[in-house]
């Protein structure tokens, strides 16, 4: 179960208001797309849900399955089932990709560690789906990965950690069409009644491969329009200004 | 003439407290409060390495006032002459001499790493010296661990090494103590032609540390790598200078210093790459970095390049700062608990130097980081 309810959310960064009275409902099993011009607050919303301390909630609530998550720490939110695929994943050379993912899985299971063989089996299966070279298991986390490899690695983590609510912040940026299809395959493999997702994107092309249930348009820190998948197609033809 | 008698001559009177760029210390802290007539210590090592060294004509022998040999006296006097104005060196050798000598004859390759453990039990100030001598075309790995287990408030360690042509030395030095201590540490490794010298040092001292270690590349084509890993916890203070001196052409050096500061610890690192006139074609690179993890730590790094020759390569990198908060956020966003996430970033930071130590010493370093991780942090997360 993963229902996200955002009520009258306002968020500031260094005293500058970025989000202004945002309202959003994502029900169990739904995939939503959030679109909008640059600098309009899409990433701010994503980071605020994850708990990035740079973003201060000045008003409103974020409820996940009825629980206000605003007071929860970042790692607590993650263990509660929230996952943020980041726009620019960082590199941490000192921990291997496999050890990192295994540690993250173990953190979610409490005291019971995921058996190594079971973990590796699952990891290799998912890497095959995402066309990731098996050698990347033992490389430093995202170390010297290309932009596309980092994005695929985010989806690999998504598939391994199996969150109930995923936020994908421009997961399609910098991907060629083949890589986009692979990433979309990974996201679609997660589709389930227990999995909800908010995809932040500039481009309609991702939505050809991961068809959303709901599309939102955000401008100037507010969600100004909500509709079905057709809304994204209309946007592609008209642009943001004419659509509103 | 004995070392003590030499030190009483006019040449060695009125030594000074040494000064190092960027290193601030209270001189009296490292002064011996009483003369120590005997040093209560013992050594042990892995038997397979000892047997191999003996079988191949090498030796490991204890040095004291009664057994010291003329060549040992000469090596020590040579060292003293290069530090004759250094108060702490004079102080060290004014005590009863105590230490160990390792000799590897020429054309000898010792396959087994020598895990050399020195346990010092003194209740008062203590001094210990290590002499190393590698013959031409010889090779050895020595993992030296000094544990100061007594209640001494001051100690002094001096390492003097000499490598003949085409020899290879891989030396790690770990120093640990049980009660709060102020330690002075000096070391010179002299490398002749075409030598390889890798010296990795992790002074896990609780209390104060003042150190000055150097590799001297005296012969053409030699390579020296000097690694330092310091973990500061509670109120530890450390001033450490690491130098590589290029005295011959086509010599190459790498200095890599990493310090992790927990609690209220203070660490000053100075790294010096010195290329003298005539050492053409030399290459000196250095990296000195401190990670300030604790709430009220103080750290400085002072990279120095002294270049007196034109046709050389030299460079340095230096940094002092906290771990990257974006990296911490990323780890947290996957559900990794904050304490574990911080430790991942600390291990990431020290990994280039950590890998120079064997598993036994890595465990000791890990324990120091675990201890430091129990103190307060400055990331507000």
């Amino acid at each position: 179960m993963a229902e996200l309810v955002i009520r009258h959310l306002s968020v500031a960064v260094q005293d500058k208001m970025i989000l202004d009275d945002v309202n959003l409902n994502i029900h169990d099993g739904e995939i939503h797309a959030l679109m909008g011009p640059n600098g309009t607050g899409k990433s701010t919303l994503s980071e605020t849900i994850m708990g990035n301390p740079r973003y201060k909630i000045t008003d409103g609530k974020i409820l996940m399955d009825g629980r206000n998550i605003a007071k929860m720490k970042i790692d607590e939110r993650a263990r509660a089932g929230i996952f943020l695929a980041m726009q620019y994943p960082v590199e941490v050379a000192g921990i291997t990709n496999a050890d990192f993912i295994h540690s993250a899985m173990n953190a979610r299971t409490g005291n019971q560690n995921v058996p190594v063989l079971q973990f590796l089996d699952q990891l290799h299966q998912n890497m095959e789906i995402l066309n990731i070279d098996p050698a990347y298991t033992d490389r430093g986390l995202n170390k010297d990965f290309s932009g596309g490899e980092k994005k695929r690695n985010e989806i690999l983590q998504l598939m391994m950690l199996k969150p109930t609510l995923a936020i994908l912040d421009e997961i399609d940026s910098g991907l060629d069409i083949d890589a986009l299809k692979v990433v979309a395959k990974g996201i679609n493999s997660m589709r389930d009644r227990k999995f909800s997702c908010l995809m932040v994107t500039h481009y309609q092309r991702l939505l050809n491969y991961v068809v959303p249930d709901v599309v939102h348009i955000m401008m100037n820190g507010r969600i100004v329009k909500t509709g079905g998948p057709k809304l994204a197609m209309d946007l592609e033809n008209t642009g943001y200004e004419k659509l509103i | 003439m004995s070392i003590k008698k030499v030190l009483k001559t006019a040449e060695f009177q009125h030594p000074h407290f040494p000064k190092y760029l960027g290193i601030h210390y209270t001189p009296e802290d490292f002064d011996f409060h009483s003369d120590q007539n005997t040093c209560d210590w013992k050594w042990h090592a892995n038997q397979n390495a000892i047997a191999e060294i003996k079988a191949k004509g090498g030796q490991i022998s204890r040095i004291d006032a009664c057994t010291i040999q003329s060549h040992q006296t000469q090596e020590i006097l040579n060292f003293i002459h290069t530090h004759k104005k250094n108060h702490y060196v004079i102080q060290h050798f004014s005590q009863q001499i105590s230490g160990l000598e390792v000799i590897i004859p020429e054309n000898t390759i010792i396959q087994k790493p020598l895990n050399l453990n020195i346990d010092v039990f003194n209740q008062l100030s203590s001094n210990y010296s290590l002499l190393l001598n590698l013959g031409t075309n010889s090779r050895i790995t020595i993992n030296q661990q000094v544990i100061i287990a007594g209640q001494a408030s001051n100690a002094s360690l001096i390492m003097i090494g000499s490598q003949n042509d085409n020899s290879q030395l891989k030396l790690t030095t770990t120093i640990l103590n049980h009660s709060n201590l102020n330690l002075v540490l000096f070391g010179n490794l002299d490398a002749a032609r075409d030598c390889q010298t890798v010296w990795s040092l992790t002074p896990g001292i609780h209390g104060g540390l003042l150190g000055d270690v150097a590799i001297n590349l005296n012969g053409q084509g030699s390579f020296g790598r000097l690694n330092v890993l310091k973990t500061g916890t509670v109120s530890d203070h450390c001033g450490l200078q690491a130098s590589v001196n290029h005295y011959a052409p086509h010599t190459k050096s790498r200095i890599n210093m990493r310090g992790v500061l927990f609690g209220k610890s203070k660490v000053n690192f100075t790294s010096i790459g010195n290329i003298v006139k005539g050492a053409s074609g030399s290459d000196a690179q250095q990296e000195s970095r401190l990670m300030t993890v604790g709430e009220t730590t103080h750290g400085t790094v002072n990279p120095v390049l002294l270049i007196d020759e034109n046709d050389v390569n030299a460079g340095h990198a230096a940094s002092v700062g906290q771990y990257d908060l974006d990296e911490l956020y990323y780890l947290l966003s996957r559900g990794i608990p904050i304490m574990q996430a911080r430790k991942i970033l600390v291990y990431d930071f020290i990994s280039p130097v950590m890998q120079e130590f064997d598993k036994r010493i890595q465990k000791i370093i890990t324990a120091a980081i675990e201890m430091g991780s129990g103190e307060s942090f400055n990331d507000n997360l």
Side-chain angles (χ1 to χ4, degrees), chain A residues 42-172:
Chain A
K42 303 185 299 297
S43 290
T44 297
L45 179 62
S46 307
E47 298 284 353
T48 305
I49 296 169
M50 192 70 249
N52 189 326
R54 283 197 193 115
Y55 302 89
K56 303 291 177 207
I57 296 176
T58 56
D59 200 8
K61 285 180 181 172
I62 306 174
L63 304 170
M64 186 172 154
D65 298 332
R67 182 181 178 191
N68 189 355
I69 62 169
K71 299 274 183 212
M72 290 168 71
K73 293 182 185 299
I74 305 159
D75 52 322
E76 289 170 343
R77 295 184 197 202
R79 291 195 296 274
I82 299 175
F83 178 92
L84 172 62
M86 300 203 186
Q87 203 173 341
Y88 303 107
V90 298
E91 298 182 7
V92 184
I95 183 167
T96 68
N97 212 20
D99 284 347
F100 170 65
I101 297 173
H102 197 204
S103 297
M105 288 173 74
N106 288 339
R108 283 159 192 254
T109 52
N111 294 328
Q112 197 166 7
N113 285 356
V114 178
V116 174
L117 287 178
Q118 182 190 321
F119 161 73
L120 287 174
D121 186 43
Q122 210 177 332
L123 184 72
H124 290 140
Q125 278 180 34
N126 287 331
M127 288 175 87
E128 200 175 321
I129 292 171
L130 295 170
N131 290 348
I132 298 176
D133 185 335
Y136 280 49
T137 48
D138 295 325
R139 281 179 55 174
L141 172 59
N142 290 326
K143 179 66 181 166
D144 296 329
F145 287 21
S146 69
E149 286 168 344
K150 283 180 181 170
K151 292 295 172 79
R152 272 188 280 170
N153 204 37
E154 293 291 279
I155 298 301
L156 176 65
Q157 293 171 41
L158 171 81
M159 293 168 75
M160 293 299 291
L161 297 176
K162 296 185 174 61
T164 48
L165 172 67
I167 305 144
L168 311 178
D169 191 3
E170 295 196 22
I171 197 69
D172 53 338

Side-chain angles (χ1 to χ4, degrees), chain B residues 34-340:
Chain B
S34 60
D35 280 350
Q36 180 71 22
N37 289 322
T38 55
C39 185
D40 182 12
W41 68 283
K42 65 177 185 181
W43 73 275
H44 59 99
N46 47 329
Q47 286 303 317
N48 54 5
I50 294 174
E52 188 184 355
I53 289 168
K54 284 184 178 169
K56 291 177 175 174
Q59 55 178 289
I60 306 174
S61 51
R62 198 174 165 118
I63 308 168
D64 58 40
C66 300
T67 62
I68 191 164
Q69 297 170 38
S70 58
H71 77 273
Q72 294 166 341
T73 302
Q74 195 52 55
E75 274 182 52
I76 291 170
L77 287 175
N78 289 344
F79 182 85
I80 292 171
H81 272 282
T82 59
H83 296 81
K84 62 186 174 189
K85 292 296 176 195
N86 186 324
H87 171 87
Y88 300 119
V89 171
I90 304 301
Q91 172 179 267
H92 180 99
F93 289 110
S94 297
Q95 316 296 309
Q96 286 288 10
I97 184 87
S98 58
L100 211 57
E101 183 185 39
V102 178
I103 297 177
I104 306 300
E106 62 181 22
N107 300 316
T108 304
I109 293 175
I110 304 299
Q111 302 285 0
K112 303 280 182 208
L114 174 66
N115 298 325
L116 189 58
N117 298 285
I118 317 294
D119 297 316
V120 181
F121 303 103
N122 274 35
Q123 300 305 311
L124 299 170
S125 307
S126 53
N127 66 313
Y128 164 81
S129 309
L130 175 72
L131 306 186
L132 291 175
N133 199 318
L134 269 70
T136 303
N137 301 324
S138 63
R139 189 171 78 202
I140 189 170
T141 296
I142 301 175
N143 299 313
Q144 181 198 21
Q145 181 175 303
V146 181
I147 299 178
I148 301 168
Q151 297 296 312
S153 58
N154 286 78
S156 173
L157 256 67
I158 289 185
M159 278 167 281
I160 305 168
S162 130
Q163 289 180 246
N164 288 295
D165 290 353
N166 203 37
S167 61
Q168 294 179 27
L169 171 66
K170 187 173 180 197
L171 172 67
T172 64
T173 301
T174 308
I175 309 163
L176 301 168
N177 63 312
H178 287 182
S179 59
N180 235 31
L181 177 78
N182 286 320
L183 174 83
V184 284
L185 168 69
F186 295 98
N188 269 15
L189 297 180
D190 281 282
R193 187 177 174 135
D194 297 322
C195 290
Q196 283 194 36
T197 309
V198 179
W199 188 8
S200 303
L201 181 68
T202 180
I205 289 295
H206 299 306
L209 171 70
L210 177 67
D212 176 5
V213 293
I215 295 175
N216 299 318
L217 303 174
N218 301 323
Q220 185 169 327
S222 280
F223 169 72
R225 180 191 293 279
L226 192 45
N227 302 300
V228 174
L229 177 52
K230 171 66 187 161
T231 305
T233 55
V234 198
S235 300
D236 295 345
H237 53 104
C238 162
L240 186 60
Q241 176 173 288
S243 319
V244 178
N245 297 303
H246 295 248
Y247 293 128
H250 302 290
T251 47
K252 185 174 169 180
S253 71
R254 297 290 181 266
I255 300 175
N256 200 346
M257 304 179 80
R258 301 277 162 135
V260 184
L261 284 69
F262 294 102
K264 297 174 181 172
S265 58
K266 296 179 182 176
V267 175
N268 308 123
F269 277 164
T270 296
S271 51
I272 301 177
N274 177 26
I275 302 178
V276 304
K277 187 80 184 161
S280 58
S282 290
D283 179 358
Q285 306 293 332
Q286 54 178 269
E287 194 174 334
S288 302
R289 298 188 188 280
L290 291 178
M291 179 181 268
T292 51
V293 180
E295 203 167 8
T296 52
T297 59
H298 292 275
T300 61
V301 293
N302 311 285
V304 179
L305 291 170
L306 303 170
I307 312 292
D308 205 11
E309 182 56 72
N310 293 318
D311 174 26
V312 298
N313 278 319
H316 66 77
S319 63
V320 179
Q322 203 187 18
Y323 38 69
D324 188 321
L325 289 176
D326 287 336
E327 292 177 9
L328 182 65
Y329 171 59
Y330 187 80
L331 300 178
L332 295 173
S333 77
R334 299 304 183 250
I336 292 177
I338 190 157
M339 198 60 87
Q340 190 185 348

